[in-house]
Amino acid sequence: MSVIIAIESSCDETSVAICNNGKITANVIANQTIHENYGGVIPELASRVHQQNIVPAIQQALTIAKVNKKDVNAVAFTQGPGLLGALLVGVSFAKSFALALDLPLIAVNHMQAHILAHFIDDPKPNFPFLCLTVSGGHTQIVLVKDYFDMEIVGETLDDAAGEAFDKTAKLLNLPYPGGPLIDKHAQNGNPLAFKFPVPQIQDLNYSFSGFKTAILYFIRDKQKENPLFIEENLADICASVQYSIINILLNKLKKAAKQFNCKEIAIAGGVSANSGLRNALMEAKESMGWNVYIPAFQYCTDNAGMIAIAGYHKFLAKDFVGQDISPMARMNF
Ligand code: KG4
Ligand code: ZN
């Protein structure tokens, strides 16, 4: 029997989840809307809002899961990577909670947790599988050999795919985070209306900084010809940018699948909520003969459910940490 409480505070979502014998019975996510006013996450503000949100989120999660805090067996938390001040709030709270109730502590890597979100619901991928993890800060192709035996076989050399979405959205005067809005407008647009250059990068790596600059120049030039270019073509621009990003992502994923002779393919991270990427993966399932794994929406973007399931597998392995643990802004697998 195990009841694990998990805390996620690496960026701008304060989240608390409960895992009861491997089942997620609560996944509370308190969004921080304050950053919308600034066009990006302001680290200092994120820390302050985590501080305000964390106790109510804990209480809400316990209520939803119908669990008394005295019945909790372990406390899992995101150790990193992420914003240090934001992580400090979650880590300090987890340590205090564990100390007060004399519970073991479980440190979880946020990027591993995005991948392990696939072990919350069925169908679950079989090891080894390849996971394309695409978030606001990371773009990685990971060869997952076991729960905590993961190897990054390709990654971005500069910007993440989520940044490419968010920065394009900013150029289009859409509020932060723009990824979901590009997705929404793209549904009414023509993905072949405009063409953007595909980065020529070696191996299984990605690059999105040149792509972002190309979009900047494209919009600037078009606006010189027609000041209403964005307003008149918003859906087509969004659909074309989204189509290009998805092609870049899938081309390397197909290359990796061939190289590792692997047909178990998963996606994870915030950008895996993108409807175009999800559809493209379903098409690749048919054309490539892949077994495809796509997380439920609530487990794509940052959430403590994924920290809880990672914590559960660490709990089974008795992989605990001491009270001297610290958060880490950068963290390898
Ligand atoms: O994993 P996540 O929630 O946070 C990080 O760990 O970074 O990912 C956030 C990123 C943001 O860039 C956001 O714009 C993007 O995921 N995102 C999307 C969609 N939903 C979230 N991008 C494109 N389409 C979406 N539907
Ligand atoms: Zn994330």
Side-chain angles (χ1 to χ4, degrees):
M1 289 289 285
S2 67
V3 176
I4 294 162
I5 194 160
I7 297 162
E8 155 64 31
S9 72
S10 65
C11 192
D12 59 342
E13 249 91 44
T14 318
S15 183
V16 177
I18 309 278
C19 181
N20 200 329
N21 288 320
K23 292 265 165 294
I24 303 301
T25 51
N27 184 36
V28 174
I29 302 173
N31 300 111
Q32 301 189 357
T33 48
I34 189 166
H35 306 286
E36 281 170 13
N37 305 328
Y38 301 91
V41 177
I42 308 294
E44 165 89 18
L45 292 180
S47 310
R48 288 168 187 247
V49 182
H50 282 309
Q51 191 84 29
Q52 288 162 356
N53 284 349
I54 195 144
V55 172
I58 292 270
Q59 281 166 340
Q60 209 184 333
L62 289 169
T63 305
I64 291 170
K66 298 190 178 65
V67 163
N68 188 300
K69 63 180 183 294
K70 294 196 177 66
D71 299 325
V72 173
N73 301 115
V75 185
F77 62 89
T78 304
Q79 186 186 7
L83 302 171
L84 195 68
L87 289 164
L88 266 168
V89 177
V91 175
S92 302
F93 187 92
K95 286 164 79 165
S96 314
F97 193 91
L99 190 67
L101 293 168
D102 195 21
L103 297 173
L105 276 169
I106 301 169
V108 173
N109 178 312
H110 180 91
M111 297 313 295
Q112 286 194 333
H114 267 301
I115 296 172
L116 295 173
H118 283 286
F119 294 89
I120 295 175
D121 294 325
D122 286 327
K124 300 178 173 77
N126 300 296
F127 298 118
F129 66 92
L130 281 167
C131 185
L132 171 68
T133 314
V134 268
S135 71
H138 294 80
T139 300
Q140 302 173 331
I141 299 179
V142 182
L143 179 61
V144 187
K145 299 172 214 168
D146 206 337
Y147 293 110
F148 300 104
D149 184 2
M150 303 185 185
E151 187 189 337
I152 298 170
V153 295
E155 63 187 327
T156 183
L157 305 176
D158 40 59
D159 288 357
E163 275 174 286
F165 273 104
D166 295 340
K167 287 180 178 169
T168 302
K170 206 167 181 177
L171 293 172
L172 298 173
N173 307 318
L174 298 171
Y176 180 87
L181 292 167
I182 297 227
D183 189 355
K184 193 176 138 223
H185 290 293
Q187 288 171 23
N188 303 316
N190 172 7
L192 303 176
F194 306 108
K195 253 186 139 44
F196 300 105
V198 174
Q200 302 299 319
I201 302 293
Q202 296 290 304
D203 306 323
L204 298 174
N205 293 324
Y206 292 106
S207 165
F208 285 103
S209 72
F211 179 80
K212 176 190 71 193
T213 311
I215 292 170
L216 172 77
Y217 290 151
F218 166 82
I219 292 175
R220 196 191 57 185
D221 293 348
K222 290 285 188 189
Q223 272 185 316
K224 268 188 205 151
E225 292 165 20
N226 171 11
L228 293 178
F229 175 72
I230 293 180
E231 289 81 348
E232 289 174 1
N233 297 278
L234 187 60
D236 283 349
I237 305 170
C238 289
S240 301
V241 169
Q242 179 170 301
Y243 179 78
S244 301
I245 295 175
I246 292 169
N247 269 344
I248 295 168
L249 291 172
L250 278 197
N251 284 345
K252 291 291 170 105
L253 186 59
K254 284 178 184 169
K255 193 172 170 187
K258 255 194 208 139
Q259 193 171 318
F260 292 95
N261 192 21
C262 182
K263 285 187 185 293
E264 293 280 303
I265 309 289
I267 53 169
V271 180
S272 65
N274 182 269
S275 59
L277 179 60
R278 294 165 89 93
N279 291 340
L281 211 69
M282 292 314 286
E283 281 168 23
K285 175 187 162 142
E286 299 304 323
S287 62
M288 308 295 293
W290 289 349
N291 296 321
V292 161
Y293 303 90
I294 301 175
F297 279 109
Q298 62 164 327
Y299 301 125
C300 288
T301 43
D302 289 348
N303 68 90
M306 67 187 196
I307 306 302
I309 199 75
Y312 170 68
H313 287 281
K314 285 204 168 193
F315 182 86
L316 294 180
K318 297 195 169 44
D319 186 355
F320 303 125
V321 293
Q323 279 283 343
D324 55 349
I325 192 87
S326 313
M328 287 165 76
R330 290 173 160 267
M331 204 175 164
N332 295 326
F333 285 174

